[in-house]
Amino acid sequence: MYTHYKSALILTFSFLLTACMESESGSTIHHSDNTNTHQNISTLDTELNQQIQARGLRGDPVKNTPPSIYAATSQLGKRLFFSKSLSGNRDTACVTCHHPLMGGGDNLSLPIGVDAVNPNLLGSQRRHKQGSPHHDGGPTVPRNAPTTFNIAAWEKTLFLDGRIEKVDNGIRTPEVDINTTDPRAGVNLVHAQARFPVTSPEEMKGFSHNDKNNQQIREFLAQRLGGYGAGAGQLPRTDYWLAKFRGVFGKPNASAQEVITEQNISFLLSEYQRSQLFMDSPWSRYVRGDKNAISNYVKAGAALFFKDQSKGGAGCARCHSGDFFTDEKFHNIGMPQIGRGKGDLDRDGEAIHDYGRYRETKNEADKFAFRTPTLLNVETTGPWGHAGAYTTLEAAVRHYINAQHAIDNYDWNQLKQPGLQNLDRMKRNTQEALDHDNFALKSQSLNDTEVDQLLAFLRSLTDPCTKSASCLSPWILYDNDTDQDPNGDQLIAIGLN
Ligand code: HEC
Ligand code: HEC
């Protein structure tokens, strides 16, 4: 499942961009790319070809057939994704934390959802209102917002602790016991996930809807959009949504109650997100046979990435495996634990820790383990780590040289957001992860050139479309949209470059 509308023109463009990205590498290390002889080139290509064959790589991780962004379902899903009507107090939309122009994330270490000073201001300047009982100004969401790009490629788990996951006969969600099926999960993982952000007070629900349980807030929001039941009269122009839902579901005479349901809303949100396929990278073209798609320098980085540590490589593909660069499993790698945590107890008995996968399985071997992230477009999805503690990709890669050293010498000044947990607390909490039995990394020596080569390889996993506003425009709603929501709840972002 590879091609969508993008043309040969984009391929040419991406080639030029790659060349330019390498010379603009954010690293301070200077390197020369002319030292490779022809002998080296073919040796590297041979070595990489062996890795590609042995690992069965194809350059394309998506096995199902996601919808086009131009499908009617994706288009209506986009309007919902950008609508603040889907939050309790009409101040947050999905796009608040997953904007296409920010790599499908929010460019923040930790997200700021409801109760922002300016709800439409996204990116690094977004702040909470001070003073309410729930806000001291710092971010209230405890985990970094992952990208929605290529979300259709996940086959087993969604969320950093995998609390949405495939089980034998269907999909499990946090509303049912482990290993059981949620009958309301919907048709795929992305559909199942889309029902949850509105249930989180910090993300979308808000703090004035505590009287409603998960299902009640979902149904209330559907009623608001459709102007029926308890939601009647909340929006002045529900005819706008009714006409669209009737059209997309081919039911011209359906009532709002029949067609504007929480299931249909979450389905449409998932179709829009599943259309976000951005995997046409220089590396994928190399895998598919274009040996000139990446430079020798990138090839050297790739060789390090794939080779086992026992054979002198960096051993990254042990976990970042396959065309999607993830095993979809959970590992404790001791990434810095900043922010408020998920309410799990730390050594001092304070409820500001995050046990990761253990929260779901209650298995000690899962404590502090988080799902291996995909590395496609990783260059554009910072800050990095489950709490966004590394604000440069280089710092995230250097974590793998010696995690203990990285935590001991963690540069607190790299955090751009005010109101995060203090440094001593981060060190104590992260030390618990480093000391836990399941800690999964082995220290290694990587010199500056090798780190830089790994970074060059990671940047070769970027689809150039993700860095081009015009290429991304089909996935975005703009204020010159002629069919704009007359209720005024469409989130037109400000603060983005
Ligand atoms: C306030 C910020 C915020 C808002 C608003 C928000 N999200 Fe998220 N989203 C997150 C965070 C944080 C996570 C990771 C949470 C976790 O794993 O525990 C996440 C996870 C996800 C994931 C799973 C990604 C993965 O790799 O597993 C998807 C898909 C997603 N969100 C879609 C949505 C949709 C759809 C909406 C609107 C209904 C939405 N989000 C609203 C912050 C937000
Ligand atoms: C033992 C499994 C494992 C190995 C080996 C491994 N990783 Fe990771 N990687 C992970 C996990 C798990 C995370 C997320 C951890 C967290 O956030 O707590 C991660 C996160 C990352 C991130 C941050 C991504 C993001 O979106 O936040 C980068 C970059 C990364 N790894 C690159 C590498 C590189 C380069 C190597 C080889 C030097 C490597 N990894 C080796 C499991 C692994």
Side-chain angles (χ1 to χ4, degrees), residues 62 74 108 119 125 150 185 187 276 283 312 321 346 359 402 417 469:
V62 181
S74 310
L108 291 167
Q125 295 308 308
N150 300 323
V187 297
Q276 296 182 329
W283 169 253
S321 56
D346 68 4
R359 294 171 54 78
N402 181 327
Q417 257 177 305

Side-chain angles (χ1 to χ4, degrees), residues 287-482:
V287 171
R288 284 176 287 136
D290 176 359
K291 295 301 165 208
N292 296 318
I294 54 176
S295 70
N296 294 336
Y297 200 73
V298 171
K299 288 175 195 174
L304 273 172
F305 186 94
F306 287 107
K307 207 189 291 177
D308 290 347
Q309 267 179 279
S310 62
K311 294 179 182 141
C316 311
R318 171 156 67 99
C319 307
H320 298 283
S321 56
D323 284 304
F324 199 35
F325 290 89
T326 169
D327 53 6
E328 296 198 40
K329 292 189 177 132
F330 305 86
H331 308 275
N332 169 11
I333 64 161
M335 281 277 187
Q337 175 57 49
I338 60 168
R340 289 166 207 247
K342 292 285 275 184
D344 300 325
L345 297 185
D346 68 4
R347 267 179 196 158
D348 299 338
E350 269 195 75
I352 59 163
H353 218 330
D354 187 343
Y355 291 164
R357 180 64 174 164
Y358 173 91
R359 294 171 54 78
E360 301 304 301
T361 63
K362 305 291 180 251
N363 179 350
E364 280 294 323
D366 289 329
K367 217 172 212 174
F368 311 117
F370 292 86
R371 189 192 60 185
T372 309
T374 174
L375 297 178
L376 298 187
N377 304 313
V378 68
E379 172 190 21
T380 69
T381 61
W384 295 271
H386 68 265
Y390 288 125
T391 61
T392 66
L393 191 56
E394 181 171 348
V397 170
R398 287 189 179 276
H399 180 85
Y400 288 99
I401 297 177
N402 181 327
Q404 182 69 60
H405 182 268
I407 299 306
D408 291 344
N409 295 281
Y410 177 76
D411 175 13
W412 194 253
N413 293 320
Q414 70 185 284
L415 296 176
K416 314 261 186 323
Q417 257 177 305
L420 292 164
Q421 229 17 122
N422 67 48
L423 179 60
D424 288 346
R425 177 69 66 194
M426 181 288 278
K427 287 191 176 173
R428 253 176 307 174
N429 282 358
T430 310
Q431 194 62 45
E432 282 188 57
L434 295 171
D435 293 342
H436 202 66
D437 279 351
N438 64 353
F439 179 68
L441 298 182
K442 248 192 320 198
S443 300
Q444 55 187 324
S445 54
L446 293 172
N447 65 32
D448 287 355
T449 306
E450 290 169 325
V451 168
D452 199 50
Q453 286 170 333
L454 280 170
L455 286 166
F457 171 63
L458 293 179
R459 285 192 295 269
S460 83
L461 305 178
T462 303
D463 182 332
C465 188
T466 62
K467 296 172 126 191
S468 154
S470 63
C471 186
L472 288 172
S473 62
W475 284 271
I476 299 173
L477 280 184
Y478 297 98
D479 58 0
N480 62 359
D481 179 21
T482 50

Side-chain angles (χ1 to χ4, degrees), residues 156-158 161-182 330 356-363 366:
K156 299 179 196 149
T157 56
L158 286 181
D161 52 17
R163 64 191 185 278
I164 303 273
E165 57 189 323
K166 284 261 169 67
V167 290
D168 279 350
N169 297 314
I171 295 171
R172 186 230 154 201
T173 74
E175 280 173 16
V176 298
D177 291 338
I178 195 107
N179 288 326
T180 61
T181 302
D182 183 347
F330 305 86
R357 180 64 174 164
Y358 173 91
R359 294 171 54 78
E360 301 304 301
T361 63
K362 305 291 180 251
N363 179 350
D366 289 329

